[in-house]
Amino acid sequence: MKTALAPALTLREKLCYGLGDTSANIFMGMTMMFLSIYYTDVFQLNPAIMGSLFLMARLLDAFGDPLIGLLADRTRSSRGRYRPWLLWFAFPYGLSCAAVFFSPELSAFWRTVYACLTYTALVLSFSFVVVPYVSLLGAISADSDERIHINAIRFPLAKTAYLLCSLLIPALITLFDHDVLGYRVVMSGIGLLSTLLILICYFNTQERVIPEGMPAVSLRQQFGYLLKNDQALILFAAQGLVMIMNTLKFGAAAYFVKYVLSMPVTFLSMMLTMASVAGIVAPVMTGYLLRSGKVKRIVLLVYSQLASGAITLAIGFMPASALWSHVGLFVFATLAAELIAVILWASVADAADYGFYRFGVRINGMIGGGMLFATKAGMAVGGALIGYVLAWYGYRPEMHTVALPDHLPAFRWLYIWLPACCLFLTAALLQCYRLDEQKMRDVMMAVRDEAGRKEATRHGL
């Protein structure tokens, strides 16, 4: 591994790299917050069909992520290995965002077909952008602490996407006389914005870390090295649980506010906006806590999830009339849960360095693809659970305009009990993670020493 002769990272480059994640989180935000209720209450999909669509499309997409990572690792161009993919797929990604919410007038059968085709196109184009984007971090910088700093800038920018979704989308949709037209126009604008942000990231970043003299390995060998990397597997499992929790909590929030709290969409917008602000504050808090030495990485990983799980459980014991208690607990649970995001995604590059240290083979793209696989698999399971739980309790929006008393337990399971279980499981899993600050310093020192020995051997010293 060598570092190309290139200018040091500037604040502008770090900001522009972070804007790429703003675009990615627009996808996450709009699918977790609005796609479920859009499919059931606006596009009139059967909840069980919706759940099956989320499960199959996202799992198909998730299994493709490591393959996309492999292709990105093997890409060779003057623009680098990962950046070209941002240019190639920025426009398909934006167009598919708009197409999913276009809502043409079709029969029930053709609505299902349209939803399957457009949603699958969206998740696939998203992968072709985001897998290389995640891998790009390891090519921008070889320093673990600097990658943490990049992510401390990146994640507040990423979470502004949730703020955009929660604050603007409901308000803008209500400006139109019909929800179908509102979704169509607003989501077209969101698709255009997503494309522009990806292009800004592409034109303002540079790949510096270049593999040198890496042995050629087959796809099967790369998967083998991936499966031997125990720390990467722990990250993947934790990320999967985090995404199940987020998909359930944010996807069910619209139902919970509408039917359990009996509040309008403006209340939902306010609640989601406050949670989005918490998501912006959390990475800043993480960066401060780590830089100041007040807490270590793994301690923060574990105890933040335990705290969020406890707060989420408390929501279940609040009466529906205690509206501001519900808002406060939702926001603080989100704040605690989001404290780990900076560390988890920076640890993708750490796990790649750890694998290189152990096996002498660098598979950044494969590990980045694995992390995206976990993200999509978690979203698949979470989205499927929303559809299946709603179907189990007989929720059929086309048959009645209000939820029946028999439906209310479904919303509580999806919004409170299942997310709390995921948070406690995540905390238990992350206790097994070992790549703390000292371990990563040891890994990088060993990697640099080995590179120095190879360089000396090459020059006959």
Side-chain angles (χ1 to χ4, degrees):
M1 179 180 66
K2 68 177 183 179
T3 302
L5 294 177
L9 267 75
T10 62
L11 179 60
R12 173 182 173 177
E13 183 172 2
K14 294 174 183 178
L15 288 170
C16 290
Y17 178 75
L19 290 176
D21 212 13
T22 306
S23 178
N25 276 271
I26 288 174
F27 166 83
M28 298 292 187
M30 73 179 183
T31 53
M32 285 193 292
M33 294 180 188
F34 303 109
L35 190 56
S36 295
I37 201 165
Y38 164 78
Y39 271 152
T40 59
D41 289 23
V42 177
F43 202 47
Q44 297 289 301
L45 278 186
N46 181 287
I49 292 175
M50 178 191 73
S52 298
L53 169 61
F54 286 161
L55 182 64
M56 291 186 291
R58 286 171 175 167
L59 283 179
L60 171 66
D61 178 45
F63 279 104
D65 284 346
L67 296 177
I68 296 171
L70 172 67
L71 292 174
D73 281 337
R74 295 185 174 185
T75 299
R76 297 293 183 269
S77 79
S78 59
R79 304 183 185 95
R81 290 175 293 163
Y82 307 116
R83 289 177 59 251
W85 294 81
L86 308 185
L87 178 64
W88 298 336
F89 286 95
F91 287 100
Y93 171 49
L95 289 173
S96 61
C97 284
V100 164
F101 291 92
F102 191 72
S103 192
E105 294 185 8
L106 300 168
S107 66
F109 172 78
W110 287 109
R111 283 201 305 272
T112 301
V113 172
Y114 181 86
C116 291
L117 292 176
T118 54
Y119 184 70
T120 302
L122 173 60
V123 295
L124 287 175
S125 60
F126 174 79
S127 287
F128 277 108
V129 168
V130 176
V131 172
Y133 172 80
V134 171
S135 305
L136 179 60
L137 178 61
I140 288 177
S141 173
D143 184 85
S144 178
D145 290 333
E146 186 169 41
R147 292 193 294 243
I148 289 281
H149 182 250
I150 293 170
N151 274 357
I153 295 173
R154 164 191 171 189
F155 274 90
L157 292 172
K159 297 306 177 182
T160 58
Y162 286 86
L163 184 62
L164 172 70
C165 291
S166 62
L167 182 62
L168 291 182
I169 289 179
L172 291 174
I173 289 173
T174 59
L175 295 177
F176 295 85
D177 294 332
H178 198 281
D179 283 349
V180 170
L181 180 60
Y183 274 102
R184 188 177 294 171
V185 174
V186 173
M187 293 305 179
S188 294
I190 290 294
L192 176 61
L193 177 61
S194 300
T195 295
L196 291 176
L197 292 173
I198 290 295
L199 292 176
I200 289 172
C201 177
Y202 165 77
F203 283 110
N204 292 278
T205 54
Q206 187 171 357
E207 296 188 25
R208 293 169 175 79
V209 181
I210 304 169
E212 185 180 32
M214 291 292 101
V217 292
S218 66
L219 174 61
R220 181 177 178 180
Q221 289 174 314
Q222 289 207 32
F223 271 113
Y225 287 123
L226 180 65
L227 295 176
K228 291 182 200 177
N229 192 327
D230 58 322
Q231 299 304 292
L233 297 180
I234 290 172
L235 289 178
F236 299 162
Q239 176 66 6
L241 287 168
V242 166
M243 292 311 301
I244 293 172
M245 181 275 297
N246 277 330
T247 303
L248 289 171
K249 183 174 73 172
F250 285 101
Y255 298 100
F256 191 84
V257 167
K258 183 177 180 180
Y259 297 121
V260 177
L261 302 184
S262 301
M263 296 299 291
V265 69
T266 52
F267 185 86
L268 171 67
S269 177
M270 179 271 297
M271 190 172 81
L272 292 176
T273 298
M274 293 177 68
S276 299
V277 172
I280 295 172
V281 171
V284 178
M285 289 180 60
T286 300
Y288 167 74
L289 290 171
L290 294 178
R291 285 195 304 272
S292 65
K294 294 182 182 296
V295 66
K296 298 297 184 182
R297 295 182 192 178
I298 296 177
V299 171
L300 187 58
L301 287 173
V302 173
Y303 284 94
S304 63
Q305 302 310 286
L306 290 175
S308 183
I311 297 169
T312 301
L313 283 181
I315 296 173
F317 299 97
M318 288 291 111
S321 58
L323 295 177
W324 291 109
S325 295
H326 277 281
V327 172
L329 291 173
F330 179 75
V331 170
F332 280 110
T334 301
L335 177 66
E338 289 291 336
L339 289 174
I340 72 169
V342 168
I343 307 172
L344 275 185
W345 284 97
S347 297
V348 173
D350 289 348
D353 290 339
Y354 171 74
F356 179 68
Y357 160 72
R358 285 190 60 192
F359 310 117
V361 175
R362 184 166 290 279
I363 52 170
N364 294 46
M366 183 72 76
I367 292 177
M371 194 66 164
L372 265 295
F373 168 85
T375 301
K376 304 291 184 55
M379 292 178 69
V381 173
L385 283 172
I386 291 175
Y388 294 153
V389 170
L390 291 176
W392 177 267
Y393 281 89
Y395 177 72
R396 296 291 298 273
E398 72 274 16
M399 297 179 64
H400 36 72
T401 57
V402 297
L404 303 177
D406 290 345
H407 299 155
L408 299 184
F411 309 134
R412 289 185 175 275
W413 272 105
L414 294 171
Y415 182 72
I416 301 168
W417 312 124
L418 292 176
C421 290
C422 291
L423 286 161
F424 291 131
L425 287 172
T426 302
L429 184 65
L430 288 172
Q431 286 184 317
C432 302
Y433 187 66
R434 301 197 312 273
L435 299 185
D436 58 11
E437 291 87 343
Q438 184 57 52
K439 180 65 175 178
M440 285 312 302
R441 282 193 286 270
D442 294 343
V443 166
M444 293 311 299
M445 185 175 296
V447 169
R448 287 167 182 161
D449 288 347
E450 179 64 22
R453 284 194 294 270
K454 288 182 178 180
E455 187 70 19
T457 301
R458 186 181 299 114
H459 291 87
L461 299 178

